[in-house]
Amino acid sequence: MANEIRFKLNGSEIVYTGNPSMRLVEYLRGEKQLTGTKIGCKQGECGACSVIMDSELVNSCLVAMGRVNGAEVTTIEGYSKTEKFAALDKAFESVSAVQCGFCIPGMVLASESLLASNPHPTEEEIREGISGNLCRCTGYNSIVKAIEIAAEEGSGLW
Amino acid sequence: MVKGIIAKSLRDALELRKDSTFVPYIGGTDLMVEADENKSYLFLHQVPEMKNIAEDEEFIRFGAACTFTEIIKNPLSPMILKQACRQIGAPAVRNMGSIGGNIGNGSAKADSALICMVTDSKLRLASADSERIVPIKDFYLGRKKLNLNPDELIIEILMPKHGLENYYHEKVGARKALAISRVSFAGIMDIKNGVIQNNATAFGAVSDVIIRLDTIDNMLIGKTIEEAKKLRGDYIQAIGDAIVPTRGRVGIEYRKDVCINLLKSFLEVSGI
């Protein structure tokens, strides 16, 4: 019971003393300039603001700063330094799964979340895994293909 | 002014709840849609007593702060509840959204609350000074009106663990993921030695509160399958008469038709 909110962000210890009712996504983009996390709908509908919190995918628009206390948060910037990201990056590139790119940070983190719990998903499981992440460009097929490729080529990473 | 407080134990949480200006916050997936930075939240996600899933002779006991993902993964959770939770939102929403929040939000569209209604689950409510167990049907008083005192919290959901095997659940939404129920239905039929031991139905997203017409459902209890078949028409008629959908984005006639169709499917799969 304190006003001080302590958490880990991309591996670094953070002590936050601002408004606990502020949305995590606003904090990431506004105060930390981590603009890879996008704001799409602010309703938990589009998944553009997805981050990983305590190993689970969450919509950072629906997380108040008070809820972050004690958690470990990874944004696309933190994740991009990992070997797993490299495998997904290569796979997404190989099938041109990126068009405008707005949904991609969220898509990549949704892929990570899926593969972490299910390293060899079926196509149906992939579609379920990214069902909270909307893409208005690709029609999803290339993204699904990219995740299949990452699971195969990156076998053993997850 | 303090804008938010993080409770670390149940005792903490109930003491803090005495100040009713704080809005209880578990997953935030409903609250944060209208995110108001001037609101003060009482954060409950670190209250260990609200995170347990356990069982006793009669009930599976879900801590109010259990997320849908935790419920789906837990072997103690009944299949009917897992099925409903799997259809909530999308993975990121299920990772944060909680059963206690779903119930406390007071919406008749709440997908896990529907299952608590059809199973006649009970809620353990507590304040710093007292505690009470309330059948969930008596918890919903009207649209967004709850039988919850300003100093109380929902601590635990007690779901009866026997007789839930034969169920029928259907969520009708406008899309596959991230759908908000247009109509939802859950039915439980427990038949032993050809005699109906329990028949329970619940209809969500139709009225101000989830509809649970137990008096009408009781028409079939104690009957054999053959007797129930004879009562089928009267039973459907009685349920149809009792369902009065409220005005909403989706038409009244349509929602009523869907309710009756789902009820018929439930009876069919139950052999009636």
Side-chain angles (χ1 to χ4, degrees), chain B residues 90-217:
Chain B
V93 172
R94 296 195 287 271
N95 288 340
M96 292 297 275
S98 67
I99 187 166
N102 204 217
I103 293 167
N105 190 37
S107 169
K109 296 175 180 174
D111 292 313
S112 68
L114 177 81
I115 307 307
C116 296
M117 283 288 268
V118 79
T119 54
D120 295 321
S121 294
K122 294 173 183 186
L123 306 180
R124 184 156 76 92
L125 312 176
S127 68
D129 310 313
S130 65
E131 197 177 294
R132 60 192 176 117
I133 307 264
V134 175
I136 188 164
K137 204 188 161 202
D138 301 336
F139 183 69
Y140 292 111
L141 304 175
R143 185 176 159 72
K144 297 268 175 186
K145 279 191 198 135
L146 306 176
N147 174 5
L148 184 75
N149 297 324
D151 62 346
E152 283 181 320
L153 288 173
I154 305 169
I155 303 303
E156 210 175 31
I157 293 92
L158 282 63
M159 185 169 284
K161 63 186 217 187
H162 301 295
L164 306 184
E165 295 78 15
N166 295 317
Y167 68 86
Y168 180 84
H169 170 259
E170 201 72 54
K171 169 175 174 169
V172 179
R175 52 188 178 182
K176 226 172 154 184
L178 293 161
I180 292 172
S181 289
R182 290 185 154 185
V183 175
S184 58
F185 173 85
I188 290 171
M189 184 74 75
D190 185 21
I191 301 171
K192 279 194 185 77
N193 303 322
V195 178
I196 298 170
Q197 310 292 317
N198 186 26
N199 169 50
T201 62
F203 299 84
V206 181
S207 189
D208 286 342
V209 296
I210 296 166
I211 299 172
R212 170 87 179 88
L213 300 163
D214 47 351
T215 319
I216 302 176
D217 287 342

Side-chain angles (χ1 to χ4, degrees), chain A residues 98-155:
Chain A
V98 180
Q99 289 190 30
C100 91
F102 192 81
C103 71
I104 296 300
M107 274 302 173
V108 169
L109 292 175
S111 310
E112 157 60 26
S113 177
L114 168 69
L115 295 172
S117 62
N118 182 2
H120 300 287
T122 62
E123 184 190 328
E124 198 185 337
E125 287 166 342
I126 292 173
R127 289 186 185 275
E128 166 59 28
I130 60 166
S131 62
N133 296 73
L134 303 186
C135 171
R136 301 290 80 168
C137 303
T138 65
Y140 301 102
N141 289 342
S142 54
I143 292 174
V144 172
K145 186 77 198 151
I147 299 169
E148 277 174 355
I149 293 170
E152 205 179 300
E153 305 273 312
S155 190

Side-chain angles (χ1 to χ4, degrees), chain A residues 1 3 5 19-23 42-45 56-59 61-64 66-67 69-70 128-129 131-132, chain B residues 2-4 6 8 16 25-26 28 32 35 37 39 41 43 45-46 90-96 175 177-178:
Chain A
M1 158 167 96
N3 276 329
I5 291 157
N19 184 356
S21 304
M22 186 186 196
R23 294 173 193 262
K42 288 196 181 177
Q43 297 191 355
E45 296 256 346
E56 286 184 332
L57 191 73
V58 304
N59 296 311
C61 72
L62 296 186
V63 178
R67 176 64 182 79
N69 190 50
E128 166 59 28
S131 62
Chain B
V2 181
K3 286 303 227 36
I6 300 156
K8 295 288 175 64
L16 293 164
Y25 181 120
I26 307 177
M32 293 303 286
E37 291 200 359
K39 250 186 200 162
Y41 296 116
F43 292 98
H45 65 284
Q46 290 183 312
V93 172
R94 296 195 287 271
N95 288 340
M96 292 297 275
R175 52 188 178 182
L178 293 161

Side-chain angles (χ1 to χ4, degrees), chain A residues 10 33-37 74-82 109:
Chain A
N10 294 331
Q33 284 77 51
L34 295 169
T35 52
T37 307
T74 304
T75 67
I76 192 69
E77 289 86 354
Y79 186 63
S80 67
K81 298 185 179 83
T82 65
L109 292 175

